[in-house]
């Protein structure tokens, strides 16, 4: 079969799309990616996959901004229709983000079946707009906010696809950790970094009990404007730290980590739970519909993470939370097991199964029952040749 994957240009959309593309290619299917300029520049993703960049508007800027966005979406829709006439896909899947909208609208107009994948625990704006025409909606969480009740028969719980290298980490033992071993911490703010982590984390690590602080080994992602200051702060504290603006080899960094301090973006949470890594999560307070707080709910309730809202995220609070989790080596191992208990490492395979069924012409009623159990919606809160 031939499939088109349409994704907005952030890591939260691109990483699960990449994982699905790899699984579909492994099965011998043709795959094409439609994204924007940002998505096309992501390093290390979609090697060997044709990439098509479409114009896509973004709402904002008042009536003039809406008009420009509408014109851009219509232009992208025309381009997508021409693309589909040359290489008609069996199905098109959207991973959210405004750049996915023209591709899905074109598919619907040409009676090509569409699937949506929602990575977050709150249905995103683009997916809410497109959900009525979709054959199926694959979700990553058992509860999804902003999902209308009338759509629940389309919803199938598949999880959030992660790269094979990360999915396999959950099959390996948690890194050895006792009162003498190095204490390895990974700090990441998602694909764009997070300044608040650069400000708070070094100070918090410096306040740890000496039994932990003297064993620290830190890997931290920083924004380019923050990296020199953070490097200087770690040097003054005498804490070994490897700093970078983008973590390209995330699987190896997660594999080595005993604890992860991070934002609770969808891909981050999916990778932590697939690998079985305990975490301290600081949801991004400006995320649309506060979806990062919702993303952190399952892993936190399971005991695999502690969530700290940003206004309470101080060096002292961070230090105390780390000590609670790490002063007893068994407690950290237990948190790792609880993180793993809510992971879905086979999400890429399950989503590929769904795409094959939809591409094979199954109706919405036929698609769902033979796959994973359906999600119950919650009330709103607020082709390409191989």
């Amino acid at each position: 079969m031939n499939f088109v994957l349409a994704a907005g240009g952030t890591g939260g959309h691109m990483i699960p799309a990449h994982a699905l593309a790899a699984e579909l290619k492994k099965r011998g299917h043709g795959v094409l990616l439609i994204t924007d300029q940002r998505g096309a520049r992501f390093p290390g993703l979609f090697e060997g996959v044709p990439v098509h960049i479409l114009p896509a508007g973004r709402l904002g800027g008042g009536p003039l901004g809406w008009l420009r966005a509408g014109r851009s979406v219509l232009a992208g829709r025309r381009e997508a229709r021409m693309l589909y006439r040359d290489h008609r896909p069996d199905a098109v899947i959207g991973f959210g983000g405004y750049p996915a909208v023209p591709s899905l609208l074109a598919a619907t107009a040409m009676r090509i079946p569409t699937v949506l994948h929602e990575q977050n625990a709150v249905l995103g704006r683009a997916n809410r707009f497109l959900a009525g025409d979709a054959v199926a909606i694959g979700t990553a969480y058992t509860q999804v906010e902003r999902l209308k009740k009338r759509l629940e028969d389309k919803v199938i719980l598949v999880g959030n696809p992660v790269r094979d290298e990360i999915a396999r980490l959950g099959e390996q033992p948690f890194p050895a950790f006792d009162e003498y071993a190095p204490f390895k911490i990974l700090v990441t703010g998602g694909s764009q970094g997070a300044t608040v982590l650069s400000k708070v984390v070094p100070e918090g690590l410096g306040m740890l009990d000496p039994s932990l602080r003297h064993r620290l080994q830190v890997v931290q992602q920083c924004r380019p404007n923050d990296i020199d200051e953070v490097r200087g702060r770690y040097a003054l504290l005498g804490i070994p730290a490897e700093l970078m603006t983008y973590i390209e080899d995330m699987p190896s960094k997660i594999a080595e980590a005993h604890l992860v301090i991070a934002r609770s973006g969808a891909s981050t949470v999916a990778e932590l739970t697939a690998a079985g890594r305990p975490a301290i999560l600081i949801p991004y307070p400006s995320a649309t519909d506060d979806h990062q707080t919702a993303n952190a709910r399952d892993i936190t309730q399971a005991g695999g993470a502690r969530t700290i809202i940003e206004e309470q995220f101080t060096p002292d609070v961070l230090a105390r939370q780390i000590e609670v989790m790490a002063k007893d080596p068994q407690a950290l191992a237990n948190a790792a097991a609880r993180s793993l208990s809510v992971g879905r490492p086979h999400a890429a395979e399950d989503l590929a199964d769904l795409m094959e069924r939809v591409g094979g012409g199954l109706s919405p009623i036929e698609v769902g029952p033979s796959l994973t159990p359906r999600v119950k919606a919650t009330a709103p809160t607020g082709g390409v040749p191989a």
Side-chain angles (χ1 to χ4, degrees):
M1 297 181 186
N2 291 319
F3 297 104
V4 167
L5 283 57
T10 67
H13 302 307
M14 296 293 290
I15 290 174
H18 165 79
L20 175 63
E23 178 62 25
L24 291 172
K25 286 186 66 179
K26 188 190 304 182
R27 299 183 184 195
H29 301 306
V31 179
L32 181 143
L33 171 71
I34 294 178
T35 186
D36 58 8
Q37 294 284 354
R38 295 177 304 163
R41 291 195 296 266
F42 259 81
L45 301 183
F46 293 98
E47 293 180 5
V49 173
V51 178
H52 196 88
I53 297 172
L54 285 186
R58 183 178 180 85
L59 294 178
L64 281 178
W66 302 336
L67 181 60
R68 285 193 294 267
R71 287 175 175 170
S72 185
V73 167
L74 290 175
R77 181 175 175 268
R78 285 193 298 271
E79 283 193 35
R81 291 190 68 162
M82 289 189 289
L83 181 67
Y84 299 163
R85 278 195 285 268
D86 291 337
H87 301 291
R88 188 178 180 92
D90 292 282
V92 177
I93 180 169
F95 284 85
Y98 291 105
V101 172
S103 309
L104 277 291
L105 291 177
T108 298
M110 297 177 70
R111 299 186 181 278
I112 299 168
T114 63
V115 174
L116 300 179
H117 183 267
E118 179 54 61
Q119 302 88 51
N120 294 297
V122 181
L123 197 67
R125 291 177 181 175
N127 280 348
R128 293 203 295 268
F129 175 69
L130 297 163
D133 292 322
V135 172
I137 304 169
T139 63
Y141 293 90
T142 54
Q143 289 189 331
V144 180
E145 299 172 10
R146 304 301 295 267
L147 176 66
K148 294 180 179 179
K149 292 286 187 179
R150 64 180 175 83
L151 299 174
E152 68 177 30
D153 285 344
K154 297 183 178 186
V155 177
I156 300 167
L157 178 62
V158 293
N160 194 9
V162 299
R163 290 164 281 189
D164 275 347
E165 306 95 308
I166 289 177
R168 288 195 294 267
L169 294 178
E171 302 169 2
Q172 302 173 14
F174 185 65
F177 184 70
D178 56 29
E179 61 269 27
Y180 306 107
F183 181 24
K184 298 184 178 182
I185 294 180
L186 171 63
V187 186
T188 174
S191 60
Q192 305 301 315
T195 293
V196 68
L197 300 183
S198 296
K199 292 182 178 298
V200 174
V201 173
E203 300 294 335
L205 297 183
M207 297 173 67
L208 288 175
D209 184 280
S211 64
L212 288 174
R213 180 164 50 84
H214 293 158
R215 296 153 49 202
L216 284 172
Q217 293 181 7
V218 179
V219 174
Q220 182 162 345
Q221 176 203 15
C222 304
R223 288 182 179 272
N225 293 342
D226 300 332
I227 194 166
D228 289 338
E229 180 180 347
V230 175
R231 182 176 288 113
R233 190 60 194 148
Y234 277 123
L236 286 174
L237 292 167
I239 296 174
E242 179 185 0
L243 307 181
M244 58 201 74
T245 57
Y246 180 76
I247 302 177
E248 188 165 341
D249 188 12
M250 185 62 81
S252 70
K253 301 305 182 186
I254 293 177
E256 297 170 356
H258 296 108
L259 177 67
V260 179
I261 302 171
R263 290 294 199 195
S264 49
S267 287
T268 297
V269 174
E271 290 176 346
L272 293 175
T273 55
R277 291 298 181 272
I280 293 175
L281 300 174
I282 305 89
Y284 178 47
S286 299
T288 305
D289 299 315
D290 195 26
H291 65 254
Q292 289 207 3
T293 298
N295 291 349
R297 187 181 300 134
D298 284 0
I299 184 176
T300 301
Q301 290 178 348
R306 291 174 179 262
T307 297
I308 307 172
I309 62 173
E310 187 165 311
E311 64 183 24
Q312 296 176 2
F313 184 55
T314 64
D316 180 67
V317 168
L318 175 63
R320 301 294 81 78
Q321 292 289 357
I322 293 174
E323 288 176 353
V324 167
M325 296 182 75
K327 289 199 77 172
D328 176 2
Q330 190 56 48
L332 200 61
N334 290 342
R338 290 168 181 169
S339 173
L340 187 64
S341 73
V342 293
R344 294 187 176 274
H346 304 297
E349 292 95 322
D350 289 343
L351 188 55
D353 289 345
L354 175 59
M355 291 303 296
E356 289 178 334
R357 294 172 191 271
V358 171
L362 293 182
S363 71
I365 294 176
E366 293 172 310
V367 166
S370 56
L371 289 170
T372 48
R374 296 175 182 225
V375 179
K376 290 300 181 183
T378 62
T381 56
V384 239

